[in-house]
Amino acid sequence: MPKITGYETHDVRFPTSLTGDGTDAMNTDCDYSSAYVTLLTDSDLVGHGMTFTIGRGNDIVCTTIKAVADRLVGKDTEELFGNMGKAWDHLVADPQLRWVGPEKGVIHIATGAVNNALWDMFASLKVEAPLEAHRRLHPCIYPAYVTSAGWLGYSDEKISPHGFNHFKMKTTSAAGKLIRSLIDDPTLLPEGVSPRDPESDDLKGKNAGPTGSCLAEIKPWFIEEPTAPDDILGHATIRKALKSSNIGVATGEHAHNRMVFKQLLQADAVDVAQIDSCRLAGVTEVLSVLLMAAKFGTIVCPHAGGVGLCEYVIHLRYVQRSPVPPCNMERNVLEYVDHLHEHFYTPCSINARGRYNVPSNPSEGYSIEMKKESIAEFEWPNGTYWQGRRKSEA
């Protein structure tokens, strides 16, 4: 089997702050960015991986990725693929690098990029034969909730259902009422789809009743990250207080490792666990959280509101062990944002019913290989886009 001989990193930043993508109360100026790595071998075998930031600091992550990836140079891929858990342990075991975490912050998301690249390399060797059988079993699988409808920087005109029946919105009363009206408008349903009974088993509890003047018209299924992301007891207190109002609590986008999820689950602090494929340290750590959530019977709705994350989560849904019956897919929904997919060779896609399509190319690995022309255009600071922008601003 090939040996890993080196790696390449790229600091790729997209100017999404110009269009308001990603804006919320905390993040008002987001340039969606990829700290991107390619693992190289002494053969044609390569592995692509990344983690996600919103601009400044992406260079720091790229530098850290190099330090982590160094630990794989010279390693035999057969040995690594033979025990991916052990390979992950090796990545996080450098005592000096570990000191600047441990297992959190920049060092952890950099580890995630490298671990994701290793899984991409491994997956490119595997042919997923069950794809067609899986599609026949669930012809409209993987429902998505759309976040693009709710960015605070968007005008009312940009808010549109586009076939989705799950929406994430930022907390402004006007936008919330508008999105609620779109959800409840039967004329906006896809062709051939009838309105559904909110009291059915699929939807019961997902449209909260009146909960006070500020939320009575919006009726949310859950509120996301209502306090600091690592405030486990705070989430538990809020969840308990909202129980009588039939509103759930979700968090996890900023949960920096599996231990935070372990405590959230043990403290009965969340109704929905939102794993992030780039905040956690790669597929290996994600798997541990999925297993814990299955044990506790907690719904998992992955976060995917950034460049490359949608391409990742469709694969993670394969291995998710849902706490609801396999044919009831209405609660384990995946986040979707409708931008930047064109920069990947094998982008994810959404059908007319607001559901992810199953990846059909058995050689695409983890679906994260970025187009070379996109890297050349948007690499910071000397990509052609950024050079041109500096000239125009001068």
Side-chain angles (χ1 to χ4, degrees):
M1 288 285 285
K3 287 188 177 182
I4 294 177
T5 58
Y7 50 84
E8 296 176 355
T9 63
H10 299 279
D11 178 352
V12 184
R13 307 186 193 186
F14 301 97
T16 51
S17 59
L18 299 179
T19 53
D21 298 337
T23 50
D24 59 28
M26 293 293 292
N27 305 297
T28 57
D29 185 27
C30 306
D31 283 332
Y32 275 13
S33 302
S34 169
Y36 189 81
V37 60
T38 299
L39 296 177
L40 308 172
T41 69
D42 54 8
S43 73
D44 293 336
L45 184 64
V46 297
H48 306 283
M50 59 155 282
T51 192
F52 166 71
T53 78
I54 59 170
R56 287 183 294 276
N58 205 52
D59 52 331
I60 299 172
V61 182
C62 286
T63 298
T64 310
I65 285 173
K66 295 175 183 178
V68 177
D70 268 337
R71 293 186 59 75
L72 293 181
V73 174
K75 292 291 184 181
D76 184 87
T77 54
E78 184 174 16
E79 180 183 352
L80 294 170
F81 299 158
N83 190 332
M84 292 292 273
K86 185 177 179 181
W88 189 90
D89 289 341
H90 176 72
L91 285 177
V92 301
D94 182 291
Q96 295 184 16
L97 293 178
R98 185 176 175 80
W99 183 260
V100 294
E103 295 185 24
K104 61 180 67 70
V106 171
I107 188 67
H108 207 55
I109 62 176
T111 302
V114 177
N115 184 252
N116 285 337
L118 191 62
W119 275 96
D120 176 70
M121 184 183 287
F122 184 34
S124 67
L125 296 175
K126 311 292 284 187
V127 177
E128 296 192 40
L131 278 177
E132 285 303 321
H134 201 62
R135 188 183 286 110
R136 287 194 298 271
L137 181 61
H138 297 298
C140 289
I141 55 178
Y142 306 139
Y145 69 91
V146 63
T147 295
S148 301
W151 299 132
L152 287 186
Y154 279 11
S155 65
D156 287 354
E157 290 72 26
K158 289 190 72 172
I159 298 176
S160 174
H162 296 299
F164 293 93
N165 53 28
H166 296 82
F167 300 79
K168 183 164 78 173
M169 57 191 175
K170 308 306 173 183
T171 50
T172 66
S173 177
K177 291 177 182 178
L178 175 59
I179 292 175
R180 183 75 248 179
S181 70
L182 295 173
I183 294 172
D184 292 338
D185 187 347
T187 68
L188 297 176
L189 289 170
E191 185 177 353
V193 176
S194 302
R196 298 183 300 170
D197 178 7
E199 295 303 315
S200 67
D201 289 340
D202 284 349
L203 300 185
K204 190 175 294 184
K206 290 177 66 176
N207 292 276
T211 58
S213 58
C214 63
L215 294 177
E217 294 181 67
I218 299 173
K219 297 180 288 185
W221 173 17
F222 58 74
I223 57 174
E224 179 180 316
E225 206 172 86
T227 184
D230 48 1
D231 183 2
I232 283 64
L233 297 183
H235 277 88
T237 300
I238 293 169
R239 181 175 185 250
K240 183 177 180 181
L242 289 175
K243 273 285 189 182
S244 61
S245 300
N246 202 27
I247 296 178
V249 170
T251 199
E253 171 184 347
H254 291 100
H256 45 250
N257 60 36
R258 64 204 179 282
M259 294 304 176
V260 175
F261 280 101
K262 172 178 174 285
Q263 293 176 28
L264 287 166
L265 294 167
Q266 286 178 319
D268 205 20
V270 290
D271 298 274
V272 178
Q274 295 175 300
I275 57 169
D276 186 291
S277 56
C278 289
R279 176 72 63 178
L280 295 173
V283 176
T284 305
E285 189 170 36
V286 167
L287 292 175
S288 69
V289 177
L290 293 180
L291 290 169
M292 286 190 289
K295 176 181 177 180
F296 282 87
T298 301
I299 294 167
V300 177
C301 296
H303 169 253
V307 59
L309 302 189
C310 295
E311 278 65 34
Y312 272 158
V313 298
I314 185 61
H315 291 274
L316 298 177
R317 189 65 178 87
Y318 277 129
V319 295
Q320 183 179 337
R321 291 295 180 262
S322 171
V324 296
C327 292
N328 185 342
M329 305 288 285
E330 293 301 325
R331 296 178 186 272
N332 294 77
V333 294
L334 309 176
E335 186 169 21
Y336 178 75
V337 291
D338 189 20
H339 43 252
L340 303 177
H341 305 296
E342 67 274 14
H343 298 291
F344 297 93
Y345 285 111
T346 53
C348 69
S349 62
I350 292 286
N351 62 35
R353 294 191 61 184
R355 296 174 181 247
Y356 276 88
N357 295 313
V358 177
S360 57
N361 183 350
S363 64
E364 69 185 72
Y366 205 2
S367 303
I368 208 66
E369 183 178 3
M370 192 177 291
K371 294 179 178 178
K372 292 179 174 59
E373 55 267 32
S374 294
I375 295 175
E377 184 176 1
F378 292 103
E379 186 156 19
W380 176 268
N382 295 319
T384 55
Y385 170 82
W386 295 108
Q387 289 188 52
R389 181 166 164 178
R390 284 196 297 272
K391 288 179 181 177
S392 65
E393 291 175 347

